[in-house]
Amino acid sequence: MKKTYYLFNPGQLERKDNTLKFTPVAEDGSGEECAGQSRYLPVEDVNEFYVFGSLRANSSLFNFLGQKDIAVHFFDYYENYTGSFMPKDSLLSGRMLLAQTSAYQNKKKRLFIAQKFIEAAAYNMLKNLQYYNRRGKDMEDMMELIKNYASKLSETTSVQELMGREGMIRQTYYDAFNLILNDYEMGNRTKQLPQNEVNALISFGNMMCYTLCLRAIHQTQLNPTISFLHTPGERRYSLALDIAEVFKPVIIDRVIFKVLNRKEIQEKHFDTKLNRCLLNQNGKKIFVKAIEDKLTETIKHRTLNRNVSFRHLVKLECYKLAKHVLEIEEYKPFKMYW
């Protein structure tokens, strides 16, 4: 199985015959290569790269990565996702593009798909709360509120109204974080400038989920710029935001609860400066590894009757949405069943 590689240190990535060579460079600003620390990666083993440090590369490398269907995702110092190198779309489909555009322009069809995203997100949030409620955390009041909000999602008549209901569901869900987490408090949700440890993990984790969904979309015929819940806009792949709504509670939130409650990530793994809270490099490594472990974890798929990984579940979600857009099969988003 192909692997995802995470590059935290600055370095140079280059092609060496049919392998990839990564050489770290000194972090003192000199740019000198660290002799004896080069690592060779068989190209057949690589699915994608996540780059968190500065990277030297040339067009020859990216041509090679494109030929081998290897994506590269870039993040800046402040953990913001800045963009991706995606291989040439080999699954282009005019039929899909027309169907996806038509579904977006049809108010009824767009609202139906958008409602499905939020229904699944709310259901998966409830599953998380039920899990901790069974373990002695009193979630009853918050669960009842979310159930009440979710029961009225089908009554919404516009995407804007639906987003308002989603906001109430998510706010109630985030209020529960204070009970789930043993030593940390959620406080107010702060995004662009995370103000505490929990917000820092949510923001960073959500961006990881976004790139995961973007990669999965790229492996289908769907167009990532035409979305249904989030308004399509300039310079963003808004369909990845739509699909991420389903999987953030399943993957990212579960990992956050785990690493904080088990003290795998502690205060020493954060840097608080410039009026924001960010994971330091050691913290990023621990959190990314925990996410990767979750993605490779498998569950028994009820329809396929076989074990599939969480990473593959995201791709299956894209296939289900594509079938719905083409009017082959009604979209039934993933809902946790354990």
Side-chain angles (χ1 to χ4, degrees):
M1 181 182 292
K2 291 189 174 184
K3 300 177 182 178
T4 299
Y5 287 87
Y6 301 89
L7 306 180
F8 294 96
N9 298 315
Q12 178 170 321
L13 187 63
E14 56 189 325
R15 174 185 179 179
K16 286 293 183 181
D17 298 322
N18 280 324
T19 64
L20 296 169
K21 177 186 177 184
F22 178 73
T23 306
V25 298
E27 298 187 43
D28 58 7
S30 64
E32 294 183 6
E33 295 186 0
C34 300
Q37 296 185 22
S38 297
R39 183 177 179 184
Y40 291 86
L41 308 172
V43 71
E44 294 82 5
D45 293 345
V46 181
N47 178 43
E48 58 192 338
F49 288 101
Y50 281 74
V51 181
F52 297 100
S54 60
L55 183 71
R56 294 181 189 171
N58 56 31
S59 59
S60 174
L61 170 73
F62 285 108
N63 284 332
F64 184 57
L65 296 179
Q67 293 168 14
K68 298 299 181 179
D69 192 33
I70 297 173
V72 186
H73 309 292
F74 297 94
F75 294 78
D76 65 15
Y77 172 79
Y78 298 107
E79 301 172 357
N80 297 310
Y81 168 75
T82 55
S84 295
F85 166 78
M86 301 295 287
K88 181 181 178 181
D89 195 341
S90 60
L91 298 174
L92 283 173
S93 169
R95 178 189 173 204
M96 175 62 76
L97 181 62
L98 290 172
Q100 205 172 334
T101 304
S102 176
Y104 170 77
Q105 292 178 329
N106 184 303
K107 181 180 177 181
K108 184 177 179 181
K109 289 182 178 179
R110 180 190 175 190
L111 181 60
F112 174 84
I113 298 173
Q115 286 173 338
K116 288 295 182 183
F117 286 136
I118 299 305
E119 285 174 9
Y123 184 91
N124 292 334
M125 290 179 206
L126 271 173
K127 279 292 186 180
N128 281 347
L129 300 192
Q130 289 169 358
Y131 175 87
Y132 285 96
N133 192 60
R134 293 193 299 269
R135 284 157 177 77
K137 309 278 188 178
D138 186 7
M139 301 286 164
E140 293 293 343
D141 291 344
M142 294 172 183
M143 288 164 53
E144 199 59 39
L145 267 176
I146 292 178
K147 286 178 183 177
N148 183 49
Y149 292 142
S151 67
K152 298 176 182 178
L153 291 175
S154 60
E155 301 172 8
T156 55
T157 58
S158 68
V159 173
Q160 290 72 25
E161 183 184 358
L162 177 66
M163 290 289 278
R165 295 281 174 87
E166 185 270 342
M168 291 187 288
I169 290 172
R170 194 163 292 279
Q171 182 57 55
T172 305
Y173 176 63
Y174 282 147
D175 288 343
F177 278 39
N178 292 331
L179 297 176
I180 293 173
L181 299 172
N182 297 330
D183 302 319
Y184 294 87
E185 289 191 2
M186 171 75 187
N188 294 325
R189 176 72 181 105
T190 50
K191 300 180 181 180
Q192 298 302 322
L193 295 173
Q195 297 298 303
N196 58 35
E197 296 86 353
V198 181
N199 276 286
L201 290 174
I202 292 174
S203 294
F204 184 62
N206 286 352
M207 284 188 291
M208 294 289 290
C209 190
Y210 169 80
T211 55
L212 170 71
C213 295
L214 175 60
R215 179 62 168 155
I217 292 168
H218 188 75
Q219 294 170 329
T220 70
Q221 294 180 333
L222 290 167
N223 187 302
T225 64
I226 302 174
S227 52
F228 305 97
L229 176 63
H230 296 83
T231 302
E234 303 293 335
R235 300 184 300 278
R236 72 172 185 173
Y237 299 111
S238 47
L239 185 60
L241 295 172
D242 284 3
I243 296 173
E245 294 293 337
V246 177
F247 290 99
K248 286 188 292 188
V250 180
I251 298 172
I252 303 304
D253 296 345
R254 281 290 183 99
V255 170
I256 291 173
F257 302 151
K258 171 180 172 286
V259 297
L260 290 181
N261 283 344
R262 294 186 181 181
K263 300 185 185 299
E264 295 174 13
I265 288 183
Q266 304 172 24
E267 287 187 21
K268 65 182 180 181
H269 295 118
F270 295 91
D271 288 333
T272 303
K273 53 187 176 182
L274 300 177
N275 197 32
R276 67 176 73 196
C277 181
L278 301 172
L279 282 164
N280 59 30
Q281 183 158 301
N282 288 333
K284 286 178 189 175
K285 289 180 179 179
I286 295 170
F287 191 46
V288 163
K289 184 181 184 304
I291 292 174
E292 186 63 27
D293 289 344
K294 184 68 176 179
L295 292 175
T296 55
E297 184 182 320
T298 60
I299 60 169
K300 187 70 171 286
H301 195 283
R302 285 183 169 179
T303 304
L304 300 178
N305 198 31
R306 63 181 175 86
N307 289 333
V308 298
S309 68
F310 280 92
R311 187 188 300 277
H312 191 61
L313 278 176
V314 180
K315 189 187 296 187
L316 291 176
E317 197 72 14
C318 296
Y319 286 135
K320 289 190 294 184
L321 180 59
K323 286 183 179 180
H324 178 87
V325 169
L326 293 174
E327 299 183 344
I328 297 173
E329 185 178 295
E330 183 177 302
Y331 177 51
K332 296 178 181 178
F334 174 75
K335 295 180 179 180
M336 286 194 284
Y337 44 83
W338 60 91

